[in-house]
Each structure stands twice: as structure tokens, then as C-alpha cells.
Amino acid sequence: AQTVTQSQPEMSVQEAETVTLSCTYDTSESDYYLFWYKQPPSRQMILVIRQEAYKQQNATENRFSVNFQKAAKSFSLKISDSQLGDAAMYFCAYRSSAKIIQGAQKLVFGQGTRLTINP
Amino acid sequence: DGGITQSPKYLFRKEGQNVTLSCEQNLNHDAMYWYRQDPGQGLRLIYYSQIVNDFQKGDIAEGYSVSREKKESFPLTVTSAQKNPTAFYLCASSIRTAGPSYEQYFGPGTRLTVT
């Protein structure tokens, strides 16, 4: 079974600076998808960025980018120019690419990292 | 506006009572999911459904039941058999269950407190 680990329960960063959130995962599959979700105080889950394992290029969405290291099974999220609105819980998630297999559609989540932005 | 609605936002029940959480989506999504969120544990999958009248157990299905009679609706019943039902419950949906880079869209959640 796949597992996702976020080793940083809490992180803080000064506004306008850069912060990196860590995520490692364990899988025997070669093809899969990785996601970062943001959960602000409203508790609404919002997709921040996704990465397909078959793509070598790291995904980027505006101020958010990932460092995907497939061999190391590492998937970190970098937030540049941090803003007060970035304060939230961040969850790393894994999904198998296997089709029509029991449980293949589920997302496996890490425990989350609470990010605080200091003004 | 398209989206997922969950009601109510807060729900209180006495121990031993069954309670049903509502989840409705107007995104025309095929697949729907129920997750449970506890402090420090991330989200865990309870049940999911790929099509109407079909659903599968997730990792923590014991003490829960679901139905999928309509594409738009996927209610979750927390039964008295669930030993620790107090939690935050999130419903999600996606356009299809398999395939590349699909995204799960989440509802606002329901906070259930059982005393």
C-alpha cells in the first residue's frame, strides 16, 4: 500500500519570502500522480498543483512550484513571495494511475503541514 | 454556480443515533467520494462511487454506509456502530475516476460532534 509522509507538522515564513514544504511517499508503482492541496481556515480543500510521474519537468503554477525527485520519492512544494493568504494547512497526496483496480481512484494523503505567514 | 454542497456545516448527535450527512453536486461528475479528517491524520477515504447504484469501500468503511441513487447525490450515514464518529467529513467529486490528472473537487465539509 502506498504511504505519504509530511515530516513538518508546522512551518512559518516571513511575508514575501520563500518556503519549501516537504513530502515523501512510498510506492512500488512507476506511474502515478502527485498533488498538493491547500486547506485554509475555511477548511475548503483547494488543489494547488499536480505532477504526473512520467513527466520529468517540474510543475509550476504562478508562485507555486514543485521539486519532484522520482528516484528519491520526494515531492516538495516551494512557495515564492509568500502572501498572508497562503496561510493554511497543506496536504500532499498520491494517486495511482492504475485503471479499474479496486481502490485505484483514491487519494492517499499525508498528515499535513500547517503554514503560518508572519507579516 | 457549479459546485458541491454539504449540509449542515455543524451537526450534533447523541451517542447511539444514526446520522446522515448530505452531499450534492451539480458539476455533472461521475465519481463521488467521502473522506474523514481527524487532527494530525490528514484525510482518509471512507467510501467512493464511480457510477449510480455502485459504490466501494475505502480504507475506513466500518460503521458507515452510503447510497448513490442519483448522480448528483451521495449521502453518508454514520451508524451507531462507528466507534469514534466525531470528526470533520469532506465530500468530493471528479469528472471520472481513472485517467490522467483528474482533479477531485471538495465540498465545504460537515463537522460532526457526537456526545
Side-chain angles (χ1 to χ4, degrees):
Chain A
Q2 294 84 19
T3 59
V4 176
T5 302
Q6 294 177 249
S7 59
Q8 307 154 315
E10 296 183 356
M11 292 280 286
S12 63
V13 64
Q14 290 295 126
E15 191 177 3
E17 297 197 344
T18 295
V19 63
T20 299
L21 307 183
S22 301
C23 173
T24 59
Y25 57 95
D26 187 30
T27 184
S28 59
E29 298 176 330
S30 60
D31 197 16
Y32 48 86
Y33 307 100
L34 296 165
F35 306 85
W36 277 100
Y37 277 88
K38 170 185 177 180
Q39 187 180 43
S42 67
R43 304 198 78 170
Q44 178 78 50
M45 294 286 284
I46 303 164
L47 179 67
V48 175
I49 200 165
R50 67 168 68 88
Q51 174 80 43
E52 293 88 344
Y54 64 85
K55 289 186 178 179
Q56 293 186 339
Q57 186 173 5
N58 289 324
T60 300
E61 288 287 342
N62 300 314
R63 297 183 295 106
F64 298 86
S65 62
V66 299
N67 184 5
F68 173 50
Q69 302 288 329
K70 191 172 184 179
K73 296 180 182 175
S74 171
F75 182 60
S76 61
L77 175 69
K78 185 171 83 171
I79 306 174
S80 303
D81 185 25
S82 298
Q83 301 175 0
L84 294 178
D86 295 334
M89 284 288 289
Y90 286 82
F91 292 95
C92 178
Y94 171 101
R95 187 179 81 84
S96 169
S97 68
K99 297 181 182 180
I100 319 299
I101 295 176
Q102 182 74 15
Q105 295 83 355
K106 71 178 184 182
L107 288 172
V108 179
F109 286 87
Q111 305 92 324
T113 297
R114 183 174 302 280
L115 178 64
T116 301
I117 311 297
N118 300 314
Chain B
D1 283 359
I4 302 174
T5 57
Q6 291 185 244
S7 59
K9 191 172 179 66
Y10 300 95
L11 192 53
F12 299 88
R13 280 294 183 271
K14 294 290 189 185
E15 193 173 329
Q17 293 179 337
N18 291 355
V19 59
T20 297
L21 281 61
S22 166
C23 177
E24 304 277 335
Q25 55 97 0
N26 61 3
L27 299 167
N28 199 32
H29 286 175
D30 298 303
M32 297 186 74
Y33 312 79
W34 273 106
Y35 292 90
R36 170 181 172 137
Q37 185 177 20
D38 295 285
Q41 294 192 41
L43 279 69
R44 293 179 291 167
L45 183 67
I46 305 172
Y47 268 98
Y48 67 98
S49 168
Q50 301 179 53
I51 55 173
V52 174
N53 293 323
D54 182 70
F55 47 83
Q56 287 81 39
K57 293 182 179 180
D59 296 322
I60 55 166
E62 185 176 349
Y64 299 97
S65 66
V66 293
S67 63
R68 186 86 186 277
E69 296 177 3
K70 298 186 301 181
K71 188 176 183 178
E72 303 79 21
S73 178
F74 191 41
L76 173 74
T77 297
V78 184
T79 74
S80 57
Q82 167 51 232
K83 291 182 172 54
N84 186 19
T86 294
F88 187 64
Y89 291 88
L90 283 156
C91 178
S93 70
S94 64
I95 192 165
R96 54 183 178 177
T97 56
S101 301
Y102 83 99
E103 175 182 350
Q104 287 190 17
Y105 293 82
F106 285 81
T110 292
R111 173 68 183 176
L112 173 64
T113 302
V114 177
T115 57

